[in-house]
Amino acid sequence: MKRLRRHYIAFGPDRVNPKREFFEIDPMQAIAIIKLMEIEDVTPKVANEKEEVDEIDREAGEAYAKKNGHVFPSAK
């Protein structure tokens, strides 16, 4: 059974609107569920990735953002 379908089954009774994917559950229930589903904490890896971006990648990202009208603060 696909993961999303399992979520619908598990949280169906707590769905706020049957046409929307919003659920109203106790915060402690949400924390417990997240901890059960936790496979690996990737936070440290993701946090360090920004340091691994080389100048060419940074310039390409800035050029793309400028071309598409996005403005991001400089990370230099």
Side-chain angles (χ1 to χ4, degrees):
M1 187 180 303
K2 292 191 175 204
R3 184 177 293 191
L4 189 58
R5 177 134 172 85
R6 288 186 292 228
H7 286 93
Y8 289 142
I9 292 169
F11 299 115
D14 300 310
R15 205 168 190 164
V16 176
N17 179 335
K19 295 182 180 183
R20 301 283 184 246
E21 296 180 4
F22 297 105
F23 304 91
E24 189 173 318
I25 62 173
D26 180 84
M28 294 308 292
Q29 180 184 4
I31 291 168
I33 292 165
I34 291 168
K35 287 186 180 207
L36 282 172
M37 293 175 22
E38 181 179 54
I39 297 170
E40 176 186 3
D41 184 1
V42 295
T43 305
K45 292 177 189 173
V46 174
N48 291 332
E49 281 183 5
K50 69 179 181 181
E51 303 301 325
E52 296 173 8
V53 175
D54 63 24
E55 191 61 29
I56 294 171
D57 291 334
R58 184 174 288 115
E59 289 172 0
E62 290 172 356
Y64 177 82
K66 184 177 180 181
K67 176 180 154 187
N68 290 293
H70 302 290
V71 179
F72 299 105
S74 178
K76 294 179 183 179

